[in-house]
């Protein structure tokens, strides 16, 4: 039964709180280092694009943000579904603290896309473009999840109802990813995730991969710290939190 | 069925139901989800020519001509199978050029030409430094890969 012991430990708020306390500084430091390396690589080492000139460098923020926006949604929806099915409160806590982070990265992807779109395409926004609109729907799904969860007086009820919305929204994830293949869009097709290999020069690709890693570490750090705060809030009436806050002096 | 199984089935059923209905809706409204139509689709009569629509394709090499003293530009949009002549008056995005992708919104005339009200540049998924682009250009002087 040792397999299940591990599973139960990960559902135990005090254990996860202390695990996050140990992991967060390392992940945070690694994220800062990777961000610095990726920024230097993207802004200084990578050559300008043959067509877009220096303007292409927004890719080093846009693509990682869009990736985290999607990945965070899958994390949030999986956690919410686990919480719904197995009644694990900690899983609901993970979903709750992921939503604002995912929404922020999705907004960043939309914003950097618009800033890039004006000089390159000639427009900030194009209604009717499947990629743009499905990404906007992703932002609304995050906001809807947050609103729905907070509109119940009882936290448990809000968690359960919002979990269904989060799970349903997963349908949008493949739509966003494949929108540029299924329909004609203004947004270009995939550069990196192609069957015949990335259509980007290696010296431009390496900083992008570093930035994607850095954003992932940054996301993990944000989730760990937010999860700690969420756990403290949800468990504020328990003995272990009381002992933690008073330094065990009670 | 245990309550846990019931909840699992509920989530699976709701997600599957929504997935199927979204898929059906997207297939049914496919024409509305497409941002633009290619010259071949326009020639085949698949574009909604009774109202405005967007035409997308490549600006044909050597087809851009500017009218002296005005902002009117004429060019040919092609998908290498069919071509449609386009005329447009206004400012063009920086990436507009021969051999580049464009999406033009406007009306199809009875003579088969297209009057554009808006021209957007469609960037492709290729990123490379200028030296690489020049080397490719030397290897394939026609411009098309």
């Amino acid at each position: 039964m040792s397999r299940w012991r591990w599973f139960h430990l990960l559902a135990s708020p005090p254990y996860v709180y202390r695990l996050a306390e140990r992991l967060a500084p390392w992940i945070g430091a690694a994220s800062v280092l990777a961000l610095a390396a990726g920024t230097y690589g993207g802004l200084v080492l990578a050559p300008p694009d043959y067509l877009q000139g220096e303007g292409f460098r927004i890719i080093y923020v846009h693509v990682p943000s869009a990736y985290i926006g999607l990945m965070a949604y899958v994390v949030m929806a999986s956690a919410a579904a686990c919480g719904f099915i197995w009644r694990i409160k900690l899983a609901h806590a993970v979903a709750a603290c992921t939503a604002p982070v995912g929404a922020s990265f999705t907004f960043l992807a939309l914003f950097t896309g618009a800033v890039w779109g004006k000089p390159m395409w000639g427009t900030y926004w194009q209604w009717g473009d499947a990629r743009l609109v499905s990404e906007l729907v992703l932002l609304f799904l995050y906001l809807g999840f947050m609103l729905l969860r907070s509109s119940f007086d009882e936290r448990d009820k809000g968690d359960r109802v919002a979990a269904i919305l989060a799970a349903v929204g997963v349908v949008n994830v493949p739509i966003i990813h494949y929108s540029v293949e299924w329909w004609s869009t203004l947004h270009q097709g995939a550069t990196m995730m192609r069957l015949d290999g990335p259509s980007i020069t290696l010296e431009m690709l390496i900083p992008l991969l570093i930035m994607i890693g850095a954003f992932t570490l940054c996301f993990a750090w944000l989730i760990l710290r937010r999860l700690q705060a969420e756990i403290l809030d949800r468990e504020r009436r328990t003995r272990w939190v009381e002992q933690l806050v008073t330094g065990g002096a009670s | 069925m245990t309550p846990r199984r019931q909840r699992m089935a509920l989530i699976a059923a709701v997600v599957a139901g929504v997935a199927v209905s979204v898929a059906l809706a997207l297939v049914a409204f496919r024409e509305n989800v497409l941002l633009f139509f290619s010259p071949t689709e326009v020639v085949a009569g698949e574009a909604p020519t009774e109202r405005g629509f967007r035409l997308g394709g490549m600006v044909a090499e050597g087809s851009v001509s500017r009218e002296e003293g005005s902002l009117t530009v004429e060019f040919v949009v092609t998908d290498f199978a069919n071509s449609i002549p386009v005329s447009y008056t206004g400012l063009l995005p920086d990436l507009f050029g021969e051999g580049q992708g464009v999406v033009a919104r406007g009306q199809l005339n009875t003579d088969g030409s297209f009057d554009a009200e808006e021209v957007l540049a469609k960037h492709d998924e290729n990123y490379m430094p200028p030296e690489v682009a020049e080397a490719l250009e030397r290897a394939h002087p026609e411009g098309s890969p």
Side-chain angles (χ1 to χ4, degrees), chain A residues 47-52 56 59 84-87 116 119-123 126-130 164 167-168 171 175 182-191 194 199-201 203-204, chain B residues 3-5 7-8 10-11 14-15 18-19 22 26 30 32-37 54 93-96 100 103 105 118-133:
Chain A
D49 182 62
Y50 75 113
L51 205 56
Q52 308 169 51
F56 99 95
I59 195 178
F84 183 88
I85 294 169
W86 286 283
R87 296 278 154 99
W116 179 88
M120 301 300 169
W121 291 336
T123 181
Q126 190 73 46
W127 288 110
D129 182 289
I164 297 176
V168 165
V171 173
I175 294 181
W182 290 343
W183 303 291
S184 63
T185 55
L186 186 59
H187 194 286
Q188 64 237 47
T191 291
R194 291 161 59 93
S199 60
I200 177 168
T201 309
E203 48 203 321
M204 293 171 162
Chain B
R4 194 206 305 146
R5 292 254 163 161
R7 293 195 293 268
M8 216 183 272
L10 173 71
I11 284 273
V14 170
V15 171
V18 171
V22 168
L26 287 176
R30 185 180 155 76
N32 302 59
V33 185
L34 294 174
L35 184 70
F36 58 81
F37 295 86
R54 291 190 185 85
D94 289 352
L95 287 192
F96 179 87
Q100 297 297 326
V103 176
R105 179 169 56 83
E118 179 192 53
V119 174
L120 302 175
K122 178 168 160 56
H123 180 56
D124 64 16
E125 66 277 16
N126 297 312
Y127 289 81
M128 57 186 128
E131 310 87 73
V132 176

